[in-house]
């Protein structure tokens, strides 16, 4: 594979206006992105007394169940991930009969409070009206039943599956009096109760409401409209937050996994304003410490080049932050392109114009390393393999369960470690 | 079957994938949504298959689905040929391309002149049947498309047909077969399509002296090779000491050779030692729980292990085939396949004081009065690492007798 040719085919960030303008590094991908069905599975996992009923081929249902078996939140092998397996007959004549039979069996054996009927690619291609079927089943059995569509050919990755599953939870909500609580919407990974944001809220005496999908119950979802404010910790939670704002007047704050201390501090201020409480003194301390570490880092990270793969932090905010520290992105892998006015996009383009390509295609990337020769790689890769090419990997998985000013502290600390290691690696090579 | 509570029976497409990924010097290209490829990693990992640099996907957009555009498939074929130089590119359908009717064979046909690699299309999208349909088709395809005489009849080699990476302990079983064939006849293994074979080994298949068919899914391929190259085949699996003895005898007859005396005497000795277990069986015959066994797995595994139980005077009274029996020629009496998962669950939950040889899910459904051992996929509560712990042959029987012994210790 010719790395130079791969690089020459890539567009620059400044040349693209939407993700449709961004080509994959190669047509033949491995492993490729996850699908929305997996995203739906990740979301249902966090809703304790609900059942996931996957409607699809043997293969889609097999892999979904297989993935949930090792997961305690799903209940393991006997857990609440069930399926309706479609065959040639169902594809020809529709899945209604089989879905209704399966639903009856499920009600007899599991008696769930809520069911997510998750359809896969083939159901969408044959055009079965599963929404109507689910509506009928919901009325027939008097339970919450929601259809979630997860066809992968319409999406870039698994996140729409998480988004649509949590948005479907709106159907379980009814108006409630203000409880002064906060709901946490959109946390995909980790436990919210281990985050700094949680500590600050609980420390200020704020009651916690629904935490969707990181860990909640049908009852908490039913009562979610009583919250004073919704904290959306990932953009996948925005459609639900918008619906709640429109239906119940619940305001929301988008408090994603950001790395810029000023931005995070500003979000704390907005959040506590909605809560009608002063910003906790501890937040002020954390803000000062985060600012200090960022200021120290600027001189040490200046000039380091990198390829951005995939991290838990907001892609463009993180890149704009690193560019602000004097780092140089050579290539950004992403599945989204923000609007031209996006301040982070503008901040990156003011100083540089990196290549852009889609994520999750590490096979051809190996050849790109030899051409671009970055100091760092941010994302999932094989650290030893990268080191052999003189590249240090920035580990970011540890940030996944974090929210708040702990993110810049951990993120910058890791950048400093990796930066020092990359320089040592380069010097070692040169001296050898 | 309506509600599926556990793992559904794998489809034909899944078996095609896990079989073709084992072919050396070849790559597999899926034309379908990328998520399925990514999702499949866990299963392939459990089977010991590494898809790295061997499996690729094109992904598909809504435009491709609606307009039937195959440009990205064409480009991916050209790219793989140029960048990886494989000897063969297997182009695999997906559920979507099956439903919308993409002509993969047609694409491969007109793309063939543009690439050096041999293009082979497999249009199994998951709707032709269960995994045995896929195994049958892939075995037949591999021998029909790739086998040839190679460099002429190769003395004292054999191929193994019907073996599958989706069979629990298959690498250990092949190791045991190689040992038996080497010690009994001085033969060495050629190709094992579906588990381990390079394109060159597949090409040389027609030159082997014998084909060993471990499972019914390899029969069509064996018959084709017999017709084409006159290669005889032996269908059966060596389970149990007596079963192994019979199997070796059948192999010897097909080769016109006798089993080496050393192997024969070893088997005689083993059979003598196993008499203790027959004695246990007779001791427990009139007790509240006479020795009984339940077996769940692929058809030939079930039949083979039932034979082992009978050798030991244990009654195999529940024989569940994990896949449809409709393609099995004259299925053995007593072997059943449950279309409804619920019926299988009920049958397993009813078992009391049985020796259960099954997969992890089935073992999970049996209560503590039973004593179990894993003999088939799927695995959910453990992993397979060892390649020297067979279920077949002499060592396999040694291992299974340890569980039989545990069974008697547990029996009232």
């Amino acid at each position: 594979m010719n790395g130079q040719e791969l690089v020459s085919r890539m567009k620059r960030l400044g040349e693209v206006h939407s993700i449709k303008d961004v080509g994959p590094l190669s047509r033949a991908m491995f492993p490729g992105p996850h699908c929305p069905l997996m995203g739906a599975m990740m979301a249902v996992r966090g809703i304790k007394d609900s059942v996931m009923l996957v409607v699809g081929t043997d293969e889609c249902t097999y892999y979904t169940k297989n993935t949930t078996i090792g997961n305690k939140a799903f209940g393991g092998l006997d857990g609440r991930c069930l399926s309706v397996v479609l065959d040639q007959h169902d594809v020809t004549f529709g899945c209604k009969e089989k879905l209704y039979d399966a639903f009856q069996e499920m009600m007899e054996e599991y008696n769930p409070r809520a069911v997510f009927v998750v359809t896969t690619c083939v159901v969408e291609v044959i055009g079965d009206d599963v929404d109507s079927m689910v509506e009928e089943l919901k009325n027939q059995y008097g339970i919450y039943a929601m259809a979630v569509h997860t066809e992968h050919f319409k999406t870039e990755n698994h996140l729409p599956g998480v988004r649509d599953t949590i948005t479907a939870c709106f159907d379980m909500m009814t108006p409630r009096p203000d409880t002064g609580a906060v709901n946490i919407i959109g946390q995909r990974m980790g436990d919210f109760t281990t985050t700094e944001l949680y500590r600050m809220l609980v420390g200020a005496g704020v009651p916690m409401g629904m935490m969707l999908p990181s860990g909640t119950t049908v009852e908490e979802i039913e009562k979610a409209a009583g919250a004073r404010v919704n904290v959306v910790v990932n953009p996948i939670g925005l459609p639900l937050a918008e619906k709640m704002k429109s239906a119940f007047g619940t305001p929301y704050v988008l408090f994603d996994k950001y790395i810029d201390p000023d931005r995070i501090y500003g979000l704390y201020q907005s959040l506590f304003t909605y809560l009608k409480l002063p910003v906790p003194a501890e937040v002020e301390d954390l803000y000062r410490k985060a600012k200090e570490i960022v200021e120290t880092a600027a001189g040490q990270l200046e000039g380091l080049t990198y390829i951005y793969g995939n991290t838990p932090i907001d892609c463009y905010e993180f890149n704009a932050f690193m560019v602000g520290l004097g780092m140089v992105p050579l290539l950004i892998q992403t599945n989204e392109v923000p609007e031209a006015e996006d301040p982070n996009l503008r901040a990156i383009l003011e100083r540089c114009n990196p290549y852009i390509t889609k994520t999750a295609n590490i096979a051809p990337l190996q050849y790109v390393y030899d051409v671009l020769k970055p100091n760092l790689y941010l994302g999932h890769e094989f650290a030893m393999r990268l080191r052999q090419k003189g590249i240090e990997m920035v580990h970011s998985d540890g940030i996944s369960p974090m929210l708040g000013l702990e993110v810049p502290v951990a993120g910058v600390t890791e950048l400093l470690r990796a930066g020092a290691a990359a320089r040592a690696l380069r010097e070692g090579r040169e001296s050898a | 079957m309506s509600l599926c509570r556990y793992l559904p029976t794998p489809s034909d497409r899944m078996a095609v994938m896990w079989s073709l990924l084992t072919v050396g010097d070849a790559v597999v290209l899926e034309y379908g949504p990328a998520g399925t490829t990514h999702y499949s990693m866990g299963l392939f990992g459990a089977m010991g298959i590494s898809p790295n640099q061997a499996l690729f996907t094109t992904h598909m957009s809504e435009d491709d689905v609606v307009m039937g555009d195959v440009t990205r498939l064409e480009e991916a074929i050209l790219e793989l040929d140029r960048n990886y130089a494989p000897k063969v590119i297997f182009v695999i359908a997906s559920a979507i391309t099956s439903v919308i009717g993409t002509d993969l064979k047609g694409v491969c046909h007109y793309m063939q002149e543009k690439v050096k690699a041999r293009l082979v299309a497999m249009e199994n999208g998951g709707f032709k049947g269960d995994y045995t349909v896929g195994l049958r088709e892939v075995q037949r395809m591999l021998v029909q498309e790739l086998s040839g005489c190679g460099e002429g009849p190769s003395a004292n080699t054999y191929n193994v047909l019907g073996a599958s990476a989706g069979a629990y302990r298959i690498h250990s079983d092949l190791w045991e077969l190689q040992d038996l064939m080497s010690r009994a006849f001085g033969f060495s293994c050629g190709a094992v399509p579906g588990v381990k074979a390079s394109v060159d080994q597949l090409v040389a298949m027609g030159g082997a002296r014998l084909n060993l068919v471990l499972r019914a899914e390899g029969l069509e391929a064996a018959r084709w090779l017999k017709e084409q190259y006159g290669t005889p085949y032996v269908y059966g699996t060596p389970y149990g000491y007596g079963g192994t003895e019979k199997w070796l005898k059948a192999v010897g007859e097909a080769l016109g050779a006798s089993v080496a005396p050393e192997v024969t005497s070893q088997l005689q000795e083993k059979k003598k030692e196993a008499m203790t277990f027959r004695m246990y069986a007779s001791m427990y015959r009139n007790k509240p729980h006479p020795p009984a066994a339940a077996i769940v797995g692929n058809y030939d595994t079930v039949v083979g292990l039932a034979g082992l139980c009978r050798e030991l005077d244990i009654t195999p009274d529940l024989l569940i085939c994990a896949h449809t029996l409709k393609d099995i020629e004259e299925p053995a009496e007593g072997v059943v396949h449950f279309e409804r998962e619920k019926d299988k669950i009920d049958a397993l939950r009813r078992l009391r004081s049985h020796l259960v040889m099954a997969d992890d899910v089935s073992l999970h459904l049996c209560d503590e009065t039973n004593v179990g051992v894993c003999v088939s996929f799927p695995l959910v509560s453990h992993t397979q690492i060892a390649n020297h712990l067979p279920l077949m042959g002499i060592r396999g029987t040694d291992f299974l007798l340890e569980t039989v012994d545990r069974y008697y210790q547990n029996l009232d």
Side-chain angles (χ1 to χ4, degrees):
Chain A
M1 198 173 274
N2 186 326
Q4 199 70 54
E5 192 188 319
L6 288 170
V7 171
S8 69
R9 284 212 306 261
M10 284 191 279
K11 287 186 178 167
R12 297 276 185 177
L13 181 60
E15 297 169 346
V16 300
H17 306 290
S18 82
I19 193 64
K20 284 195 173 181
D21 298 332
V22 181
L25 206 49
S26 60
R27 276 296 179 207
M29 292 186 276
F30 175 80
H34 283 298
C35 73
L37 172 59
M38 182 173 161
M41 182 271 289
M42 290 166 72
V44 179
R45 178 179 61 191
I47 306 169
K48 291 190 179 72
D49 36 6
S50 69
V51 158
M52 178 179 193
L53 186 62
V54 186
V55 186
T57 59
D58 318 52
E59 198 168 356
C60 294
T61 55
Y62 190 105
Y63 297 148
T64 309
K65 181 71 186 182
N66 201 35
T67 310
T68 66
I69 284 172
N71 196 298
K72 281 185 188 160
F74 256 111
L77 188 54
D78 295 315
R80 54 195 173 82
C81 175
L82 311 171
S83 49
V84 184
V85 182
L86 305 184
D87 56 22
Q88 186 67 57
H89 178 274
D90 307 311
V91 169
T92 309
F93 296 100
C95 68
K96 184 172 181 178
E97 190 182 338
K98 194 172 269 183
L99 173 59
Y100 279 48
D101 285 351
F103 209 94
Q104 184 182 341
E105 285 183 57
M106 178 197 67
M107 289 306 297
E108 287 166 4
E109 290 176 41
Y110 294 82
N111 194 26
R113 291 207 62 200
V115 181
F116 293 88
V117 179
V118 181
T119 64
T120 59
C121 292
V122 74
V123 183
E124 301 304 321
V125 170
I126 63 174
D128 267 351
D129 184 4
V130 175
D131 288 339
S132 299
M133 295 178 207
V134 171
E135 192 62 26
E136 197 170 68
L137 289 164
K138 180 169 83 175
N139 295 331
Q140 185 180 335
Y141 291 98
I143 61 160
Y144 296 118
M146 289 130 303
V148 178
H149 305 271
T150 65
E151 63 275 27
H152 194 192
F153 55 85
K154 287 185 184 169
T155 66
E156 291 293 335
N157 57 26
H158 63 295
L159 294 181
V162 189
R163 179 197 64 201
D164 295 348
T165 306
I166 63 179
T167 307
C169 291
F170 178 78
D171 290 353
M172 294 188 259
M173 298 175 186
T174 49
R176 303 280 166 139
D178 183 359
T179 59
V182 294
N183 295 320
I184 307 298
I185 302 176
Q187 185 167 5
R188 292 182 292 127
M189 286 179 281
D191 176 2
F192 181 70
T193 62
T194 66
T195 65
E196 171 199 295
L197 178 57
Y198 173 81
R199 288 199 313 277
M200 296 305 120
L201 288 167
V202 170
V206 179
M208 299 306 302
M210 166 190 80
M211 290 189 270
L212 180 69
S214 56
T216 192
T217 61
V218 171
E219 189 180 351
E220 283 172 352
I221 296 170
E222 286 174 321
K223 294 176 178 172
R228 183 164 294 169
V229 58
N230 283 326
V231 179
V232 180
V233 298
N234 186 287
I236 56 169
L238 286 175
L240 176 62
E242 288 286 356
K243 276 188 155 192
M244 290 180 71
K245 187 179 177 186
S246 170
F248 313 120
T250 318
Y252 68 85
V253 176
L254 178 58
F255 201 124
D256 198 354
K257 221 175 288 296
Y258 298 121
I259 196 159
D260 178 0
D262 291 327
R263 183 172 191 168
I264 300 165
Y265 181 65
L267 292 172
Y268 266 121
Q269 287 178 317
S270 302
L271 176 58
F272 279 88
T273 302
Y274 280 123
L275 290 168
K276 298 169 189 162
L277 292 168
V279 175
E282 198 183 343
V283 170
E284 309 283 353
D285 288 344
L286 290 169
Y287 174 55
R288 271 192 298 278
K289 281 179 193 159
K291 288 286 281 183
E292 275 168 28
I293 193 167
V294 171
E295 277 158 23
T296 313
Q300 297 178 48
L301 298 172
E302 175 94 38
L304 282 172
T305 59
Y306 66 90
I307 289 179
Y308 185 86
N310 188 23
T311 76
I313 302 170
D314 179 273
C315 170
Y316 289 93
E317 200 247 359
F318 195 11
N319 276 285
F321 177 77
M322 289 188 285
V323 168
L325 293 175
M327 296 173 69
V328 184
L330 302 174
L331 165 63
I332 295 176
Q333 299 169 72
T334 183
N335 280 321
E336 58 170 351
V337 175
E339 301 286 323
E341 310 79 58
D342 182 85
N344 291 317
L345 180 63
R346 290 167 69 100
I348 298 167
L349 291 175
E350 270 169 22
R351 297 203 187 185
C352 48
N353 193 9
Y355 290 108
I356 182 164
T357 189
K358 288 188 178 173
T359 58
N361 193 13
I362 62 172
L365 207 54
Q366 309 307 312
Y367 303 91
V368 172
Y369 299 145
D370 298 332
V371 178
L372 297 183
K373 299 185 186 332
N375 297 118
L376 303 174
Y377 183 88
L378 287 85
H380 289 138
E381 245 286 13
F382 297 98
M384 287 309 293
R385 193 163 68 179
L386 286 173
R387 273 197 198 118
Q388 284 166 359
K389 290 180 182 281
I391 306 165
E392 182 66 20
M393 191 163 105
V394 178
H395 298 272
S396 56
D397 281 353
I399 295 168
S400 286
M402 297 180 181
L403 272 169
L405 291 153
E406 61 188 349
V407 174
V409 172
V412 173
T413 304
E414 172 59 11
L415 282 176
L416 287 168
R417 182 210 61 78
R423 287 206 163 99
L425 202 58
R426 212 39 75 93
E427 281 159 18
R429 289 212 156 197
E430 279 162 12
S431 64
Chain B
M1 188 172 78
S2 296
L3 184 68
C4 183
R5 299 143 188 87
Y6 297 102
L7 291 162
T9 308
S11 68
D12 59 329
R13 197 189 97 97
M14 293 164 77
V16 166
M17 296 278 295
W18 78 55
S19 299
L20 294 182
L21 280 171
T22 67
V23 179
D25 310 319
V27 298
V28 175
L29 174 62
E30 278 188 280
Y31 185 45
T36 320
T37 314
H38 205 143
Y39 230 176
S40 62
M41 300 295 111
L43 177 66
F44 296 151
M47 290 177 176
I49 300 168
S50 169
N52 195 22
Q53 307 275 312
L55 174 61
F56 297 89
T57 175
T58 58
H59 192 50
M60 285 185 94
S61 71
E62 191 171 14
D63 292 348
D64 300 327
V65 175
V66 175
M67 307 303 290
D69 184 6
V70 292
T71 308
R72 72 167 76 209
L73 174 60
E74 295 167 355
E75 289 176 0
I77 290 171
L78 292 172
E79 199 178 84
L80 286 176
D81 186 61
R82 192 175 59 239
N83 294 334
Y84 295 88
K87 288 183 176 164
V88 180
I89 300 174
F90 296 110
V91 180
I92 311 293
S94 60
I96 292 185
T97 59
S98 287
V99 172
I100 65 175
T102 307
D103 180 11
L104 287 189
K105 284 190 175 152
V107 173
C108 287
H109 183 72
Y110 69 72
M111 289 298 292
Q112 185 61 73
E113 64 181 24
K114 297 175 185 170
V115 293
K116 287 184 188 153
R118 173 84 182 276
L119 299 180
V120 179
M122 287 296 282
E123 295 186 317
N124 301 70
F127 298 114
K128 287 189 179 178
D130 67 30
Y131 64 101
T132 56
V133 173
L135 291 178
R136 204 175 293 266
E137 289 191 10
V138 88
Q139 295 262 321
R140 192 181 56 216
M141 178 278 288
L142 286 173
V143 300
Q144 287 185 353
E145 294 285 335
L146 301 178
S147 77
C149 282
E151 292 174 359
S154 101
N156 300 347
T157 67
Y158 61 92
N159 303 309
V160 181
L161 297 169
S164 168
Y168 182 58
R169 295 274 180 227
I170 187 63
H171 288 283
S172 296
D173 283 338
L174 289 171
W175 174 73
E176 174 69 2
L177 289 191
Q178 282 170 28
D179 182 60
L180 283 172
M181 289 296 289
S182 167
R183 289 197 296 129
F185 304 109
F187 268 55
S188 60
C189 189
V192 189
V195 179
K196 52 176 181 180
S198 63
V199 172
D200 287 345
Q201 284 174 320
L202 289 167
V203 168
M205 279 184 79
R209 283 270 309 277
L210 178 72
N211 289 319
L212 299 175
V213 184
L214 296 186
R215 276 165 58 175
E217 291 82 60
L219 276 172
E220 282 179 40
R223 284 174 188 143
W224 190 88
L225 286 166
K226 185 175 183 188
E227 204 175 286
Q228 206 70 14
Y229 305 111
T231 322
Y233 66 86
V234 173
Y235 169 38
T237 40
Y239 285 111
Y241 300 133
T244 302
E245 193 176 37
K246 264 171 70 181
W247 180 82
L248 284 170
K249 198 174 161 209
V251 171
E253 279 168 12
L255 291 171
S258 306
V259 179
E262 171 219 325
V263 178
T264 308
S265 55
Q266 185 190 10
L267 277 163
Q268 292 305 325
E269 192 60 33
K270 287 284 181 186
K271 279 168 71 179
K272 212 182 291 174
E273 286 168 17
M275 289 301 284
T276 318
F277 292 95
R278 292 177 68 97
M279 186 185 74
Y280 288 161
S282 69
M283 280 164 57
Y284 281 90
R285 181 75 49 220
N286 298 316
K287 295 211 172 180
H289 299 292
I295 306 166
V296 188
N298 301 312
Y299 176 77
D300 292 285
T301 304
V302 169
V303 172
L305 290 173
L308 180 149
C309 290
R310 290 188 191 103
E311 265 186 47
L312 303 171
D313 273 349
I314 297 171
T315 309
D317 59 9
L318 180 63
L319 302 176
I320 303 176
C321 181
H323 54 81
T324 177
L325 288 163
K326 73 175 168 29
D327 291 325
I328 301 292
E329 300 160 13
E330 298 174 32
E333 202 178 322
V335 180
V336 293
H337 170 65
F338 294 110
E339 282 295 329
R340 276 166 43 91
E341 188 198 48
K342 182 81 168 68
D343 296 334
K344 180 177 168 183
I345 293 170
D346 290 344
L348 290 166
R349 284 197 171 136
R350 277 196 299 270
L351 286 177
R352 296 290 178 273
S353 302
H354 272 64
L355 168 67
V356 185
M357 295 190 251
D359 57 275
D360 271 349
V361 178
S362 299
L363 291 169
H364 169 78
L365 292 165
C366 298
D367 76 14
E368 69 285 355
T369 64
N370 302 286
V371 169
V373 60
C374 183
V375 296
S376 54
F377 269 109
L379 306 184
V380 295
S381 54
H382 75 289
T383 185
Q384 59 170 356
I385 296 168
N387 286 332
H388 63 284
L389 294 175
L391 301 168
M392 292 179 190
I394 297 170
R395 292 184 183 91
T397 311
D398 292 347
F399 167 68
L400 289 169
L401 285 182
E402 292 178 8
T403 305
V404 176
D405 187 73
R406 192 156 52 84
Y407 169 64
Y408 281 117
Q409 287 180 33
N410 199 50
L411 203 57
D412 294 331

